[in-house]
Each structure stands twice: as structure tokens, then as C-alpha cells.
Amino acid sequence: MVAEADRTLCDEVVNIIKGAFEGCTVYSANEGSEALKKVRNVPPNVLVSGMELGSKVTFHDMVRNIDMDRGLQNLPIVVLSDIVDTEPKLQGDLAKGRIKFLSMPMSRDELVTSIKGFLNSENLKNNSFRTVILKGGDTLLSGGEKAESAFLVKTGRLEATRKIDDQVVVLGQVLAGEFVGEMAHITGDPRNADVKALEASELVEIPLGTLDLLIFSKPTWTKSLLKTLCRRLREANQKRF
């Protein structure tokens, strides 16, 4: 996420990030209120922000609001500023490594290095991943519910179904080494299917706000995600013809 009042600089930063991290999604905002809304709607892995974001919601207002949100308290921030802020809260975060100030004019390499450093930090790598154990017949996901996590199947087998015209239609199976629930991250829509375990299964739960991190820090998980999407696309094409 990039928050910067100077639209030219904002666009420049967005283009640098997209060029350095192929395939990533970058949101932008030119004022504090807009930035805060977008950060809350889609929590980013890293926030890059200028110090001047307007008077309605200032940079400091934005940081204080982020700190009040339990899901955003550890959000790393790269600050584009010539002067390191002396506010005690920011000094504390600077010492802990949560905030990094970059001198202007901005160095592309320094910006990319700073973002990579945050993405590769142990704090983000270990962000709320947990193991889920299911017995055969247990429900993992229900259609229509709000999506907050995706899952990587370590062992076992699951089945996705959807009710169409009072008939339960089997959409397919989810096998070990594949993802389930990831489409909610891609589309932003509620769950569109019910998913149950066909046998004893073990999964890794991944909060949607940290799923993008896998593309940079866990290549094997990225391969599993691509494998899942490719198989589903292939099956969808086979059903059409």
C-alpha cells in the first residue's frame, strides 16, 4: 500500500514496487482518510507512506488508528521523509524495526531493499499460521460466509460442493499439497462453496491478509497455489466441452 499526497511521487513508488515484485497488488491513496480505509479493507504486507497526507487524517492520525486495530498493530511502515520523526511512539517503533525512514530524494534500490527486508522478517513469516485438524465429515468452509483465511492441505482429502436448485452438486476434490479457500483472496467475494473433509485431514490456516507474502517468502507454497489454480482451470474447461 502506498500513501502519498504528491500524486507524481505516489505513481513513481507504485511503479517501482510493481517492477520489483512481479505479480504483486499495490493499492494507493493520496490522503490519510483514503489510505486508512484501504488499509483496513485489505491489510497490506507493507505500508509505504509520506508524512504529508492532508489535514483531515494526518500521517500521525493514520498511524495511531492503525495501532488501535489489533489486526494491523504489527504492520511495517516505510516512511518517505528527510527528517526522522521525534514522536516517542514512532521512535519506539523505529527502535523495534517496525518503521524505517527513507531520505528524499528517494533511492529506488533502498526502497526495494527496505520492503524486501520487511517481507522476509521473521515477524511476518510467522504471522498467525496455525494447524487445523479435521475428522472425516467435518466442515471446513460454508458457502456464503465471509472469508478470512485460506488453507493449504498437508494431508488428507476434502470435497467442495454447492447447492444448485435444491440439488447438491460436487465441484471437485481438494488433495494434499493443494490450496482451498484461496479464491476469496483473489476475488474478494464471500465463500461460494461448502468444503468438507472426506477423511482425516491436516491443513495450514493462512490469514488472507498475509497470503501475498507467500509469493515472496515460500516458493514451495507458491508452487502449490499455482498447481491448485491450474488444475481447477483445467477441470472447468473440461466441463465446458
Side-chain angles (χ1 to χ4, degrees):
M1 171 75 193
V2 179
E4 168 57 51
D6 184 327
R7 294 178 184 272
T8 300
L9 177 58
C10 184
D11 291 342
E12 179 185 353
V13 173
V14 169
N15 289 332
I16 288 174
I17 296 173
K18 286 183 176 180
F21 303 97
E22 185 177 353
C24 72
T25 300
V26 185
Y27 298 93
S28 64
N30 300 122
E31 58 179 15
S33 57
E34 180 189 9
L36 188 58
K37 181 179 179 180
K38 289 184 176 181
V39 165
R40 284 171 169 165
N41 286 341
V42 185
N45 292 321
V46 179
L47 170 62
V48 179
S49 178
M51 294 289 289
E52 301 296 330
L53 294 176
S55 58
K56 186 175 181 181
V57 175
T58 66
F59 170 79
H60 293 96
D61 292 335
M62 181 179 69
V63 173
R64 280 193 289 270
N65 276 275
I66 287 173
D67 288 340
M68 291 170 61
D69 190 321
R70 292 182 60 184
L72 298 171
Q73 287 176 342
N74 294 317
L75 174 63
I77 303 175
V78 177
V79 186
L80 306 177
S81 175
D82 293 316
I83 302 174
V84 175
D85 200 289
T86 57
E87 183 174 294
K89 174 69 176 81
L90 295 185
Q91 284 295 303
D93 283 333
L94 184 64
K96 289 187 290 187
R98 180 204 172 195
I99 286 183
K100 180 176 178 61
F101 283 81
L102 294 187
S103 298
M104 300 297 287
M106 178 190 61
S107 162
R108 177 195 179 281
D109 290 342
E110 190 175 5
L111 173 63
V112 172
T113 299
S114 298
I115 294 174
K116 283 183 177 179
F118 281 135
L119 291 175
N120 293 327
S121 70
E122 289 302 316
N123 181 50
L124 280 176
K125 284 185 179 179
N126 298 321
N127 191 0
S128 302
F129 298 157
R130 72 182 185 94
T131 299
V132 176
I133 304 295
L134 300 176
K135 304 186 298 295
D138 285 352
T139 297
L140 175 68
L141 306 174
S142 297
E145 68 182 6
K146 180 182 178 181
E148 296 182 346
S149 302
F151 299 84
L152 174 63
V153 182
K154 294 180 65 177
T155 61
R157 190 164 49 99
L158 300 93
E159 183 177 71
T161 62
R162 184 187 300 165
K163 196 170 185 180
I164 302 176
D165 296 330
D166 295 327
Q167 297 289 324
V168 177
V169 178
V170 176
L171 301 178
Q173 293 189 4
V174 186
L175 309 177
E178 297 184 342
F179 273 80
V180 62
E182 80 292 338
M183 290 306 296
H185 172 71
I186 296 171
T187 66
D189 296 330
R191 306 289 189 196
N192 63 2
D194 299 324
V195 177
K196 291 186 178 182
L198 294 176
E199 59 191 41
S201 303
E202 180 181 349
L203 306 91
V204 178
E205 181 178 7
I206 308 157
L208 294 187
T210 65
L211 188 56
D212 283 338
L213 174 59
L214 302 183
I215 295 177
F216 304 108
S217 65
K218 295 184 181 292
T220 57
W221 286 20
T222 303
K223 186 176 180 179
S224 294
L225 177 58
L226 293 174
K227 173 185 172 184
T228 301
L229 296 175
C230 288
R231 185 170 76 85
R232 290 181 187 163
L233 180 59
R234 182 172 62 250
E235 291 176 350
N237 286 335
Q238 289 173 348
K239 290 177 181 179
R240 289 176 57 192
F241 297 103

